[in-house]
Amino acid sequence: MSPSPQTPWTLPEPAVLESLRAALLHWYDDAGRVLPWRKEQDPYRIWISEIMLQQTQVKTVLSYYDRWLQAFPTLETLAQADLQQVLKLWEGLGYYSRARNLHRAAQQVMAEHQGIFPQQLEQVLSLPGIGRTTAGGILSAAFNQPISILDGNVKRIFARLTTLPKPPGKAQKQLWQLSDAMVDRENPRDFNQALMDLGATICTPRAPKCDRCPWMSHCLAYQTRTPTYWPMRETPPVRPHKTIGVAVIWNHQGQLLIDRRLDKGLLGGLWEFPGGKLEPGETLPECIKREIQEELAIDIEVGDHLITIDHAYTHFRVTLNVYNCRYCSGTPQAIECQEIRWVTLEELDQFPFPKANLKIIQALRDRGVPQLGG
DNA sequence: GATTCGTGGTA
DNA sequence: TTACCAAGAAT
């Protein structure tokens, strides 16, 4: 059960803070990770890494980071790039607003700062996609400025260190206060990086390696033998499930129809196969025929089932029921999307698709062009 | 201040 | 299979 704190939550004493700083920096010299962006001094490259690393593990980011810098080696090349090319490079990484914001922010830096990445906190925070943690990460890593951070790693470390008596989401003020008090004024660059390494390699969510932790002797969670109890969890919201009918619509030239989603919201700016939510009392073919009429204003004949895909997003789940369909009549209208195109199977990989749709494309490649009756 | 944003790994 | 969570920000 819940180990309740024996005393009210307080900041560690200054002498303790200094001891913690020294121990962490010493540990980092010996055990810090070697990462490609750590040898960079170009703020643009550090910025790219910080955005990619939002809610995303280092292992996932590495290959994306390399490919991105090949395509957009400088801030100016990014600013001048086509958004579709930007999204294509981001394909599969998730949270696509990050890519759209990077593109917009690069253009903002060109317009407002003559292409020079700003060094003032206020100016950095005014760029889209950069909040307090990312700003601190960039300014400490690129310019060695003593600005604190508070990412998932740091929250977990601090929650254990102090046995924080409430979930991090409800203790933002204390956690920032602690991070501010903690950051090393002499070497904020290494200190912030060390903090994240400690969380990623020692103070891990499951099975933390307390016996190798430089903060063991000051950690209240360790002393009470409750490291994995912390941080306290919020009660997770229930995630609804949606059943979706999806159409792969073929025309008489052997092309298929794809649409580009609106720039705002889920999967914004990405391409997809059209479809929509199954209504009560409706069959999947009925759903698909209706949705295509409503969204694209064309008449189709729903054919055979192609594939069923279960996919979990952060706050809901979907089952995509995909059917091959035959175009019948009407001119496609972009009613609930921003663009529509007829493309061949070979052309599909030029367009950025969400992960679940890539599985549809793979199924199409495996199976080839269907023989649709009619 | 609570929701809305992806995807992959792991137990 | 399900649940949790990872270098968070915007609305």
Side-chain angles (χ1 to χ4, degrees), chain A residues 226-247:
Chain A
T226 59
T228 55
Y229 176 80
W230 317 93
M232 296 181 70
R233 276 79 175 171
E234 303 270 9
T235 57
V238 294
R239 293 193 299 175
H241 178 270
K242 302 176 185 178
T243 300
I244 308 291
V246 177

Side-chain angles (χ1 to χ4, degrees), chain A residues 40 49 72 108 135 150 155 167 173 212 215 284 290 315 338 346 362 369:
Chain A
E40 298 289 349
S49 76
F72 310 126
Q108 184 175 328
L150 187 61
K155 289 175 188 172
K173 189 175 175 180
R212 289 198 270 155
W215 286 3
L284 281 165
R290 173 183 55 75
H315 55 290
Q338 58 176 316
E346 290 71 33
Q362 187 57 51
V369 181

Side-chain angles (χ1 to χ4, degrees), chain A residues 43-252:
Chain A
Y44 164 71
R45 294 182 169 231
I46 291 168
W47 169 39
I48 298 302
S49 76
E50 290 289 339
I51 301 298
M52 286 187 171
L53 287 161
Q54 288 171 359
Q55 300 296 100
T56 310
Q57 294 187 343
V58 166
K59 184 170 57 176
T60 303
V61 165
L62 290 172
S63 63
Y64 281 91
Y65 180 73
D66 285 341
R67 280 190 293 130
W68 181 281
L69 291 181
Q70 292 282 332
F72 310 126
T74 65
L75 189 150
E76 185 171 6
T77 56
L78 173 59
Q80 292 172 348
D82 176 66
L83 177 58
Q84 285 293 297
Q85 186 195 355
V86 172
L87 287 170
K88 185 64 189 176
L89 276 158
W90 204 270
E91 182 183 67
L93 200 51
Y95 288 137
Y96 297 92
S97 66
R98 295 185 292 175
R100 300 195 303 271
N101 284 335
L102 272 174
H103 190 231
R104 273 205 301 146
Q107 293 171 343
Q108 184 175 328
V109 172
M110 293 305 296
E112 298 179 4
H113 306 290
Q114 297 73 49
I116 310 295
F117 196 90
Q119 300 193 26
Q120 289 187 9
L121 180 58
E122 288 298 314
Q123 297 176 336
V124 173
L125 284 172
S126 80
L127 298 171
I130 299 182
R132 191 170 170 185
T133 287
T134 301
I138 295 171
L139 291 175
S140 62
F143 307 115
N144 206 27
Q145 291 186 34
I147 302 179
S148 63
I149 58 172
L150 187 61
D151 70 341
N153 287 312
V154 180
K155 289 175 188 172
R156 184 172 58 256
I157 293 166
F158 287 174
R160 288 173 177 167
L161 180 71
T162 67
T163 58
L164 186 72
K166 46 187 172 180
K170 292 188 163 47
Q172 293 284 94
K173 189 175 175 180
Q174 288 108 307
L175 287 167
W176 274 112
Q177 193 183 350
L178 180 52
S179 192
D180 285 342
M182 188 84 82
V183 64
D184 189 286
R185 314 291 298 186
E186 302 297 320
N187 193 353
R189 171 185 288 128
D190 285 350
F191 181 84
N192 281 345
Q193 297 297 313
L195 212 42
M196 292 187 281
D197 275 16
L198 186 68
T201 66
I202 301 290
C203 196
T204 51
R206 287 178 288 225
K209 302 166 182 65
C210 297
D211 56 331
R212 289 198 270 155
C213 181
W215 286 3
M216 171 173 66
S217 61
H218 291 286
C219 181
L220 293 180
Y222 178 73
Q223 290 169 14
T224 54
R225 302 181 183 185
T226 59
T228 55
Y229 176 80
W230 317 93
M232 296 181 70
R233 276 79 175 171
E234 303 270 9
T235 57
V238 294
R239 293 193 299 175
H241 178 270
K242 302 176 185 178
T243 300
I244 308 291
V246 177
V248 176
I249 305 170
W250 299 85
N251 67 12
H252 307 308

